Amino acid sequence: MADVIEVGAARGDAPPPAASAARRGAKSANRVGRATPYLFLAPYLVLFTVFGLLPIVLGLYLSVHQWDFQLPNRPFVGLDNYKELFSSDSAVFGDWWQSVRATAIFTVVSVPLLVVVPLGLALLLNRSFPGRTFFRAVYFAPYVLGVAVIGLLWRFLLDANLGLVNRVLGAVGLPSDTPWVTDVPWAWISLVGVTVWWTSGFNAVIYLAGLQDIAPELYEAAKVDGASAWERFRHVTLPGLRPVLLFVMTTTVLASANVFGQSFLITQGAPGTETRTVVWYIVEQGLRNNDAGRAAAMSIVFALMLAVVSLANFRLFRYRED
């Protein structure tokens, strides 16, 4: 029988049906195996394309047109919308850079607090003490509230005439007429303070997860070597938290730079347009002034600014790691 099969194979006859079917099954299984990762990625890729790539492409298209929703014609203007942002004699130059300045002030002041304060909370909440779970929930609770709730709540609490904050301050002998939402620097203090109170719990939870991943043996070895609490924090905790710090720093910078609801609801841009941020100005141009072309150009320029800041942040942490 073996001689018959060998002779048939030598003459070029077709292999037995069973062997051919096995090879086809193996090829089909290989194709399915190679496609499996893409099948799992498909839902994300569809959502990313619809809600990520397509808006970017549409934004680029809008930015090179004079796009007014109320007009039938949207003429092509090339890079004029971009040039106006950097031309001192344009109608939007002053307001645009004022909003960039306001966003920069808020980001520079709030980010250090939103990185350091949650880290301190995480270090405290990582210790064993009665009621630890309760306090973890208390510090995280404000984060579950929406920006509309936070904004309206603190708008009333910080009101110069009727707000509870000034009443409490007056009751303890402190000035009771502080313009928390209508004058600087009080408006910035209010915005930053409310944001730190509102979002610190989220970063604290991220830090807690990072702290629990640091091996306890490292702290024990440091104690045996005579390291103080500060030395253990500097040489064990911080190196162990470096990836977490990178994540917290990057997300906090991006979130602070995209601030909108707090300034819109609490200070309403006051005094004047001092606390009107970039996102607020973009929304105002696109929806209130019906100038989607300029708004799209502003959005793209602002996105490039944030990309540069994020890359610098990654480079900084990468340098420290090396």
Side-chain angles (χ1 to χ4, degrees):
M1 185 66 180
D3 295 339
V4 173
I5 294 176
E6 291 177 358
V7 172
R11 291 201 306 262
D13 295 343
S20 179
R23 281 197 293 270
R24 288 196 299 270
K27 290 180 180 178
S28 177
N30 289 335
R31 286 196 295 269
V32 173
R34 288 194 296 268
T36 299
Y38 299 100
L39 293 176
F40 281 104
L41 286 173
Y44 167 77
L45 293 176
V46 170
L47 293 175
F48 178 72
T49 300
V50 173
F51 297 103
L53 293 180
L54 289 182
I56 292 174
V57 174
L58 179 60
L60 290 170
Y61 179 77
L62 292 177
S63 68
V64 294
H65 289 79
Q66 184 181 347
W67 198 281
D68 190 330
F69 295 106
Q70 298 179 340
L71 299 178
N73 297 323
R74 286 113 185 189
F76 177 79
V77 295
L79 298 178
D80 288 352
N81 289 328
Y82 294 94
K83 293 177 181 177
E84 288 183 345
L85 303 181
F86 301 94
S87 177
S88 59
D89 57 350
S90 69
V92 298
F93 177 83
D95 289 336
W96 160 251
W97 288 106
Q98 170 61 35
S99 67
V100 172
R101 175 180 174 273
T103 303
I105 291 174
F106 179 83
T107 303
V108 169
V109 176
S110 65
V111 168
L113 294 174
L114 287 171
V115 172
V116 175
V117 172
L119 178 57
L121 290 175
L123 291 172
L124 292 175
L125 296 175
N126 195 43
R127 297 175 177 269
S128 297
F129 59 89
R132 181 178 64 173
T133 302
F134 169 76
F135 284 104
R136 287 181 177 181
V138 166
Y139 284 118
F140 185 76
Y143 187 74
V144 304
L145 300 176
V147 66
V149 176
I150 296 297
L152 292 176
L153 171 66
W154 282 99
R155 174 71 186 182
F156 286 111
L157 290 176
L158 294 171
D159 186 88
N161 299 317
L162 303 175
L164 180 62
V165 173
N166 273 346
R167 288 194 177 187
V168 171
L169 292 176
V172 297
L174 296 175
S176 60
D177 57 349
T178 303
W180 293 107
V181 296
T182 57
D183 198 6
V184 290
W186 306 110
W188 288 121
I189 293 174
S190 300
L191 290 177
V192 172
V194 169
T195 303
V196 171
W197 170 82
W198 177 34
T199 60
S200 288
F202 175 78
N203 286 348
V205 170
I206 302 300
Y207 280 131
L208 273 173
L211 288 171
Q212 293 172 3
D213 283 339
I214 300 176
E217 293 80 5
L218 297 176
Y219 291 102
E220 295 174 2
K223 287 182 180 179
V224 171
D225 291 339
S228 63
W230 167 250
E231 290 172 336
R232 292 195 299 271
F233 173 76
R234 180 182 176 186
H235 297 291
V236 178
T237 304
L238 285 182
L241 287 178
R242 182 172 287 120
V244 178
L245 281 169
L246 175 60
F247 172 80
V248 169
M249 180 73 75
T250 303
T251 56
T252 302
V253 168
L254 295 179
S256 296
N258 283 279
V259 62
F260 168 67
Q262 298 97 299
S263 61
F264 183 76
L265 294 170
I266 297 176
T267 65
Q268 299 177 353
T273 58
E274 184 72 21
T275 58
R276 183 177 61 182
T277 59
V278 168
V279 175
W280 183 356
Y281 187 56
I282 291 173
V283 171
E284 188 177 66
Q285 285 292 314
L287 299 181
R288 182 177 297 177
N289 298 338
N290 294 318
D291 196 345
R294 281 179 176 170
M298 293 175 185
S299 300
I300 292 170
V301 171
F302 186 53
L304 293 176
M305 292 179 179
L306 295 183
V308 171
V309 173
S310 298
L311 290 175
N313 186 35
F314 275 92
R315 186 64 180 269
L316 176 64
F317 276 83
R318 179 181 177 185
Y319 173 78
R320 288 184 175 180
E321 184 175 2
D322 295 339

